[in-house]
Amino acid sequence: MSETELEILQQLESDRQRLHMSYSNIEHRVKPVWMKHRKWLLFLLSCILLAGMVGLINHLAHHFHTVTPCLSPACQWASARLSTSADPFTQPCDYFLFTCGSDRLLLDSERRQRSHGFTLHAENQRKSVQSKQEDGGLRENKTLSRKAVLLQYLKKILETDSGMNSSAVQKTKGFYNSCLDTKSIETAGADPFLSLIKKLGGWAVSGQWNQTDFNTTLGLLMRDYNTFPFFNIYVGKDPYEAARGINKKYIQIDQPDLLIPIEWNSKTEKSRAKTETLRPFLASCQQYLNLLGAPKSSSLIHVGSFVSLSSQLAVASSPLDSRLSKGQLYQHMTIKELQRQAPAIDWLGCLQAAFHPLPLSADDDVLLHNLPYIVQMSNTIIKWQNKPELSNSAPLHTFMVLNLLHTLMPAMDSRFFETAKNFSMALGNSEEEAPRWKHCVLETERGFDSVLTHLLSKVTAQKEAEKIIQSVFHSFKSKLNEFEWTDQTSRQLVMEKVDSAIPKLWTTKEPSSEAKLDLLFSEMIVSNQNFFSNYVQLLSLRQKKRIEVLITEPEDIDILSVTPFLFGKKLLFPLGMFVPPLFHPTYPRLIIRI
């Protein structure tokens, strides 16, 4: 379960709890009208917002008796960009608030979880729905989506050398440049990953393994490499407690995103590996071992064990809706009790590693999201540990190493990418390959989102954007008052909801200073010619972010968001909506005449 899925699930659970309490008092309660039409209202507001921006520009153009066309480089650039774009009103789903048919009222659903390399369990993988226009970048004859415009604007920021960059900004741009340096990545090949395997004690695939302890290796992967082979870990609140005003956050343990393709049988309510995908999956795994220099004589044995172990773990997994219906989510349990239920994992030791240096004890509570899977996973590991004939092949250790390879796939050379692509095509996927710069912008955002937020805030006309948001929202409310309402009760409910909304620009309360950002990335050493090393360091930084989420209330600003959303009573508009050419920093002094 991804962090975004958890947040959505928490909100759904909270809503379900409140509705249940209400229905116990009022048997036949009618759903508020504004809830039925909330997507329509926000869609209308977005149309008015963009139309208002155009209208204000036209108003200013006609207000003055003479308007001199803007001939500055910025105007010419914006004019050229806008002239290649189709009329946004011909395809409103690409330009305005919602992807048609979606119900995205919480945080942007495209956060942080971007899978690479292997194809994940179809029920656990959060599918990223992106248009061909976004995947194709800014190609000729394609409509410019707001996300594509934002990505290219971030690209421009990363490729611009101001000469006065802080240490954190220099490291951010250095990371981006090392990602673009495909020549160095290709030259390094698999050597960086093989060196990392040696650091972890080697592996039986190469014939050199130091018999490292299972739980010690697992703890290292969780702490230093953000890799969770047998289960997932994240941090969040219990929605049932949150509904009562209790905002305590817990370590939460869930089933993993298994690498083997899985299908769910709703009749038997069991998962299994997709039979038709086993052959291409096995072939792709064997190709990975070949690329890592594994002897062909023994690689098939290791791959067979990996597929077999993956299949056994898959049987106990189940999709989110099934677990929700069975009440398997948010089960409180102490670490001590969890140890009794699933003894194969050293839970206290692994969690202490993942959240070092926070003090954790066996009496601390955690939340389980699929206890039957966790128990079955533990039993499966014990069985594999007790197979004497497999002691030399170390299948559990190999399973962890291949999961680590999946984590590091974005930093590997093109041979690994091509293997993953071929497997994806064998599964029937035919997504268009994104340009390298886009891949690098996304990877940079994953690790340096706070720096990019800082840079974007510096070049965004926030005061002017706030003025437009307030003006358009006021106009929106005025238009609602002008409608002919057949039901005054409905009108009152809608207007009360709209009046309670607080439109504002989505920014941090206290923008991070350059000194604070420099301190945050002070331990990181970025090399322009070593993307693998840079990527590994970012994985370690994510451990610090987990700790921050557990002990503080960090402001979760998504730099890639371009979709306004409701969060409580706040109607938040992301900074990404106000980048050129859709919005120029000199507005309203700049009037674009195309």
Side-chain angles (χ1 to χ4, degrees):
M1 181 187 295
S2 67
E3 293 182 9
T4 303
E5 289 174 329
L6 175 60
E7 292 171 0
I8 294 174
L9 180 60
Q10 290 173 336
Q11 183 66 32
L12 288 173
E13 284 293 305
S14 179
D15 290 344
R16 187 174 70 85
Q17 179 110 354
R18 289 196 296 270
L19 286 174
H20 177 74
M21 294 173 63
S22 299
Y23 282 139
S24 64
N25 297 322
I26 305 175
E27 183 176 357
H28 302 290
R29 182 169 180 171
V30 180
K31 189 177 183 179
V33 175
W34 73 266
M35 287 290 290
K36 296 180 181 179
H37 302 289
R38 60 185 181 181
K39 288 194 292 184
W40 178 86
L41 290 173
L42 287 177
F43 177 79
L44 178 60
L45 176 57
S46 67
C47 295
I48 295 176
L49 173 66
L50 293 183
M53 293 170 66
V54 176
L56 287 173
I57 293 176
N58 290 333
H59 170 74
L60 290 173
H62 292 291
H63 179 73
F64 298 101
H65 295 293
T66 59
V67 178
T68 303
C70 179
L71 300 177
S72 70
C75 290
Q76 293 177 355
W77 177 78
S79 177
R81 292 287 301 285
L82 286 173
S83 64
T84 63
S85 175
D87 179 4
F89 290 92
T90 63
Q91 293 179 299
C93 297
D94 293 327
Y95 271 80
F96 301 132
L97 281 178
F98 294 98
T99 300
C100 287
S102 68
D103 188 17
R104 295 163 58 186
L105 295 178
L106 297 175
L107 299 181
D108 194 297
S109 67
E110 294 184 63
R111 279 187 190 166
R112 306 293 181 271
Q113 299 296 321
R114 304 184 186 97
S115 62
H116 303 273
F118 298 97
T119 298
L120 304 182
H121 182 342
E123 295 293 344
N124 292 333
Q125 180 184 15
R126 196 202 42 179
K127 298 178 181 178
S128 177
V129 182
Q130 296 180 333
S131 67
K132 291 182 179 180
Q133 296 145 348
E134 291 176 340
D135 289 336
L138 300 175
R139 294 183 179 178
E140 188 176 359
N141 299 326
K142 288 195 175 182
T143 303
L144 300 181
S145 68
R146 285 178 289 132
K147 176 62 73 64
V149 171
L150 174 59
L151 288 175
Q152 193 181 56
Y153 193 67
L154 291 175
K155 171 180 179 286
K156 182 180 178 182
I157 291 177
L158 289 169
E159 294 179 354
T160 300
D161 186 7
S162 62
M164 297 294 291
N165 294 329
S166 67
S167 174
V169 173
Q170 289 176 357
K171 291 176 181 179
T172 303
K173 294 183 177 181
F175 179 91
Y176 173 75
N177 290 329
S178 69
C179 178
L180 289 177
D181 185 10
T182 54
K183 182 178 179 179
S184 296
I185 296 173
E186 296 299 319
T187 300
D191 288 346
F193 186 75
L194 292 173
S195 298
L196 182 56
I197 293 178
K198 291 181 180 179
K199 184 178 178 180
L200 293 172
W203 64 336
V205 171
S206 66
Q208 297 178 347
W209 180 46
N210 296 340
Q211 302 287 326
T212 51
D213 176 69
F214 168 77
N215 278 291
T216 300
T217 302
L218 180 60
L220 286 174
L221 294 184
M222 294 169 61
R223 185 190 69 189
D224 296 334
Y225 305 105
N226 201 48
T227 298
F228 305 90
F230 299 100
F231 51 88
N232 268 334
I233 285 183
Y234 43 89
V235 174
K237 300 174 184 177
D238 181 340
Y240 301 103
E241 292 184 349
R244 304 195 305 269
I246 302 174
N247 293 317
K248 181 180 179 180
K249 284 185 279 190
Y250 298 89
I251 296 172
Q252 309 202 19
I253 302 173
D254 198 0
Q255 64 187 34
D257 292 319
L258 293 170
L259 305 181
I260 191 170
I262 300 173
E263 60 184 355
W264 170 255
N265 189 320
S266 57
K267 293 182 179 179
T268 62
E269 293 193 332
K270 289 188 177 182
S271 293
R272 69 171 185 177
K274 288 185 178 180
T275 306
E276 64 274 17
T277 67
L278 288 179
R279 186 181 296 275
F281 181 69
L282 188 146
S284 66
C285 293
Q286 192 163 8
Q287 178 61 16
Y288 289 128
L289 291 191
N290 293 339
L291 294 175
L292 293 173
K296 293 184 179 180
S297 59
S298 61
S299 62
L300 186 58
I301 297 176
H302 295 287
V303 169
S305 296
F306 175 76
V307 174
S308 177
L309 177 55
S310 299
S311 300
Q312 291 181 28
L313 292 173
V315 172
S317 67
S318 58
L320 183 63
D321 55 353
S322 174
R323 286 178 280 150
L324 178 61
S325 64
K326 295 177 181 178
Q328 294 176 343
L329 304 178
Y330 303 103
Q331 292 183 257
H332 284 251
M333 184 176 294
T334 64
I335 298 176
K336 183 188 301 182
E337 176 59 25
L338 178 59
Q339 188 65 54
R340 285 196 290 266
Q341 296 265 11
I345 305 295
D346 176 12
W347 291 103
L348 182 58
C350 287
L351 293 177
Q352 285 176 334
F355 291 90
H356 178 79
L358 288 185
L360 294 176
S361 72
D363 293 324
D364 288 333
D365 272 357
V366 294
L367 300 184
L368 277 296
H369 294 285
N370 189 350
L371 181 58
Y373 167 83
I374 298 297
V375 172
Q376 182 61 33
M377 175 267 297
S378 175
N379 293 336
T380 301
I381 290 174
I382 292 174
K383 289 179 181 178
W384 281 75
Q385 287 175 328
N386 293 331
K387 290 183 177 181
E389 68 276 13
L390 297 177
S391 59
N392 293 329
S393 61
L396 294 172
H397 186 76
T398 299
F399 183 87
M400 291 190 283
V401 172
L402 287 178
N403 273 268
L404 177 61
L405 175 65
H406 169 258
T407 301
L408 292 168
M409 193 74 75
M412 303 295 288
D413 68 76
S414 60
R415 298 173 302 165
F416 292 87
F417 172 78
E418 288 300 325
T419 302
K421 180 181 177 181
N422 291 337
F423 175 58
S424 181
M425 292 177 65
L427 297 182
N429 302 323
S430 58
E431 294 183 1
E432 187 176 353
E433 183 179 343
R436 181 68 186 183
W437 70 262
K438 180 180 178 182
H439 166 78
C440 293
V441 169
L442 293 173
E443 293 301 338
T444 304
E445 182 273 336
R446 293 182 75 189
F448 296 90
D449 55 329
S450 56
V451 179
L452 289 180
T453 300
H454 171 72
L455 293 175
L456 191 61
S457 299
K458 289 177 63 177
V459 297
T460 302
Q462 298 187 31
K463 291 183 179 180
E464 288 76 5
E466 286 278 12
K467 289 179 181 178
I468 282 188
I469 292 172
Q470 297 299 328
S471 297
V472 172
F473 191 73
H474 177 75
S475 175
F476 171 69
K477 291 197 293 185
S478 299
K479 290 294 182 182
L480 285 179
N481 279 316
E482 294 175 7
F483 288 164
E484 294 183 3
W485 296 83
T486 57
D487 182 359
Q488 291 303 313
T489 301
S490 299
R491 175 188 179 280
Q492 183 178 355
L493 288 172
V494 170
M495 293 307 301
E496 286 178 356
K497 182 60 182 178
V498 173
D499 287 337
S500 67
I502 305 173
K504 61 177 299 184
L505 194 64
W506 190 17
T507 59
T508 56
K509 296 177 181 178
E510 297 181 4
S512 298
S513 64
E514 292 188 351
K516 184 178 180 181
L517 291 173
D518 288 347
L519 179 62
L520 178 62
F521 294 95
S522 60
E523 297 181 5
M524 186 172 184
I525 302 174
V526 174
S527 169
N528 286 344
Q529 288 80 40
N530 196 338
F531 182 54
F532 187 89
S533 173
N534 297 339
Y535 197 85
V536 168
Q537 290 180 77
L538 280 190
L539 296 179
S540 181
L541 280 176
R542 288 179 195 165
Q543 182 246 6
K544 295 182 179 179
K545 290 187 177 181
R546 270 200 307 271
I547 295 174
E548 182 183 3
V549 172
L550 185 61
I551 64 178
T552 65
E553 287 285 350
E555 294 181 85
D556 198 0
I557 304 297
D558 187 359
I559 186 66
L560 296 182
S561 175
V562 292
T563 304
F565 63 93
L566 283 172
F567 188 68
K569 292 185 178 181
K570 296 178 182 178
L571 178 58
L572 301 177
F573 292 81
L575 283 173
M577 290 185 64
F578 299 93
V579 299
L582 303 179
F583 184 82
H584 198 274
T586 57
Y587 177 88
R589 294 179 295 280
L590 168 65
I591 300 175
I592 302 175
R593 299 293 296 275
I594 300 176

